[in-house]
Amino acid sequence: MIIFPDLPHVEVEGVEIAEEITLTLRTTSPTAPCPSCGTVSSRIQSLYSRALRDLPSVGRPLRLILHVRRFFCKKNTCAQKIFVERLPELCHPHAQRTKRLQKALCELGLKIGGQAGADVGSELGISGSRDTILRLVRQSHPSAQSAPHVIGLDDWARRRRLRYGTLICDLELGLPIDLLPDRSVKTVSTWLLKHPSIKVVSRDGSSEYASAIQKGAPKLYR
């Protein structure tokens, strides 16, 4: 039974199986490069533990307890005197989830949205709130694609009845392409001006969106 894939210089110290699976891991590389200057160091300053959520395994949530080390940077002129070793194959610095869990949540958000993604993820044992999923979508870097031609504009609630943003979708690809912080005429029209390739805009009945199209893409306004 494979619970977790092999990673270079990472050793499994313990496994606990209950309602969730807990793996205790530790790093084994004798050295680590400073993330600021790249200097390789073997001088350990202290130990550091972090907890990560990962994709479920054999139908149970998977939690990782990762023991890593802090190192002294050997370069006297480096501003970062002490650094924590990093595991780029596993997770981003300071993240609470592994890269593969973040990717799964992001894909849910791209395909079915924030709240729906959170609901489906919960059923599948993939933990992530609506806000987390939307943040991951905003931070994602989709592969290069042609400029959009047919888009849809709709609002989404940051705080229902109080704060709204704008969701922009490429209707030809069936994918979201941007999230704007609000639904104001200025914000939406500025976005439209930066995308002259757009030929068709589908929108809800908002008068703000109508004004934004009139300002940002007047040739499309009817």
Side-chain angles (χ1 to χ4, degrees):
M1 178 177 66
I2 298 175
I3 296 177
F4 191 75
D6 288 335
L7 289 173
H9 307 299
V10 175
E11 183 178 280
V12 177
E13 284 193 323
V15 180
E16 294 183 13
I17 300 179
E19 292 184 0
E20 69 173 13
I21 299 173
T22 301
L23 285 186
T24 302
L25 311 172
R26 70 178 182 91
T27 54
T28 60
S29 175
T31 61
C34 173
S36 294
C37 68
T39 302
V40 175
S41 175
S42 59
R43 294 182 58 206
I44 297 174
Q45 191 261 355
S46 60
L47 297 178
Y48 173 75
S49 296
R50 57 186 298 190
L52 294 167
R53 288 288 175 186
D54 193 21
L55 290 174
S57 179
V58 292
R60 304 188 189 197
L62 180 57
R63 185 167 65 108
L64 308 179
I65 304 299
L66 182 61
H67 298 312
V68 294
R69 296 156 296 177
R70 292 186 178 95
F71 286 81
F72 290 104
C73 182
K74 295 169 63 177
K75 190 172 182 178
N76 294 333
T77 57
C78 181
Q80 189 162 352
K81 304 301 181 184
I82 298 172
F83 64 90
V84 177
E85 61 184 326
R86 298 184 177 181
L87 296 170
E89 304 91 347
L90 178 64
C91 60
H92 295 290
H94 312 298
Q96 297 179 347
R97 296 172 178 83
T98 62
K99 283 185 174 180
R100 62 181 189 172
L101 176 54
Q102 288 185 334
K103 180 180 179 182
L105 290 171
C106 183
E107 289 177 350
L108 280 175
L110 287 170
K111 290 179 179 178
I112 60 176
Q115 187 58 60
D119 293 341
V120 172
S122 178
E123 294 175 2
L124 297 175
I126 303 174
S127 63
S129 67
R130 177 192 65 180
D131 291 340
T132 295
I133 291 174
L134 291 175
R135 175 175 54 79
L136 292 171
V137 169
R138 289 196 297 270
Q139 292 174 348
S140 66
H141 300 284
S143 57
Q145 52 188 247
S146 60
H149 297 99
V150 182
I151 65 166
L153 297 177
D154 201 356
D155 56 24
W156 58 280
R158 288 175 175 269
R159 293 184 63 187
R160 194 176 298 275
R161 298 191 184 93
L162 295 176
R163 295 178 61 196
Y164 289 85
T166 296
L167 171 65
I168 303 177
C169 293
D170 187 320
L171 297 183
E172 292 181 302
L173 297 177
L175 293 173
I177 54 176
D178 211 344
L179 290 171
L180 305 184
D182 56 55
R183 57 183 179 183
S184 69
V185 173
K186 180 179 179 181
T187 298
V188 178
S189 63
T190 298
W191 190 95
L192 290 170
L193 286 169
K194 293 179 179 178
H195 297 80
S197 62
I198 294 170
K199 297 178 180 178
V200 177
V201 178
S202 174
R203 62 175 178 87
D204 69 11
S206 168
S207 60
E208 290 179 301
Y209 287 151
S211 298
I213 296 169
Q214 189 173 21
K215 289 186 64 177
K219 65 181 184 297
L220 304 179
Y221 189 77
R222 299 289 186 271

